[in-house]
Amino acid sequence: MNIWRNILSSVLVILLALTIIIRPARTGGFNAQVGQSVNHILVVSGSGQTKTLGQILHHHPALINFFATWCPACKMELPDLHQVVTAPNQLILISQGNPASTAVFLQHYGITPHHSFYDPSGHVFNSFFITTLPTSYFVNQNGIIVSKVIGPMTPHLIRQNLRLADTSQER
């Protein structure tokens, strides 16, 4: 009886792992890869206004950073993001957290809430396949993804990817 229960438990764990790792292929549309446009993706501002990333980017290269207030690596990375990314609209922070508590959290790091947007439904996190925090996407002035970094970044890595986003002319 114990053997069958162990086998069944093992099979269930393997099936669960496979459902997390293997995602069905997408047909058309957005798939969060280098070369894809992010301009049509909808996020919510702290005031509850829905905007597309294209409206926020306003034809500027940018770093789109997915984070959480409870994430230790995100906390470690935020001061570097704030220090390195100084141009308006060049840093877009997206959280699934509560807008009020997230705004207080960001202000602690000297980041103004106008840089932060929210994904209350989880749709944006799912569209970008966010499974590790922080995860950052760098986009060029056309809103096209030019690189992706999973995990916290050093100032050098941030600058390097921002230069790539700034010089990429891909449409």
Side-chain angles (χ1 to χ4, degrees):
M1 186 75 152
N2 270 344
I3 294 172
W4 287 110
R5 187 173 16 183
N6 289 342
I7 291 172
L8 182 58
S9 294
S10 297
V11 168
L12 288 175
V13 167
I14 290 169
L15 288 174
L16 179 61
L18 287 174
T19 59
I20 292 170
I21 294 170
I22 299 173
R23 295 179 185 243
R26 292 178 171 243
T27 56
F30 182 71
N31 58 10
Q33 294 180 26
V34 170
Q36 287 287 316
S37 172
V38 301
N39 289 327
H40 66 285
I41 301 294
L42 292 171
V43 292
V44 179
S45 70
S47 63
Q49 183 181 18
T50 301
K51 293 184 173 189
T52 66
L53 287 176
Q55 291 170 315
I56 298 163
L57 292 168
H58 197 52
H59 304 288
H60 295 291
L63 184 171
I64 302 170
N65 180 267
F66 290 88
F67 78 103
T69 59
W70 50 262
C71 166
C74 301
K75 292 176 186 179
M76 181 178 75
E77 179 183 60
L78 274 173
D80 290 336
L81 291 178
H82 180 59
Q83 176 189 4
V84 173
V85 185
T86 57
N89 299 335
Q90 199 174 29
L91 175 62
I92 298 170
L93 300 168
I94 301 176
S95 168
Q96 283 185 307
N98 172 291
S101 61
T102 302
V104 170
F105 171 79
L106 292 174
Q107 286 172 349
H108 173 75
Y109 290 94
I111 299 173
T112 56
H114 74 272
H115 288 294
S116 62
F117 297 89
Y118 306 92
D119 178 27
S121 68
H123 176 73
V124 178
F125 271 63
N126 288 337
S127 293
F128 279 87
F129 301 112
I130 304 300
T131 57
T132 303
L133 294 173
T135 294
S136 297
Y137 285 85
F138 292 83
V139 297
N140 68 12
Q141 71 275 6
N142 299 314
I144 305 298
I145 298 171
V146 297
S147 65
K148 174 184 178 181
V149 178
I150 298 173
M153 297 179 286
T154 64
H156 174 74
L157 187 57
I158 297 168
R159 284 185 196 96
Q160 180 181 23
N161 280 280
L162 283 173
R163 275 193 302 277
L164 177 64
D166 193 38
T167 59
S168 172
Q169 298 300 313
E170 189 172 337
R171 291 187 176 265

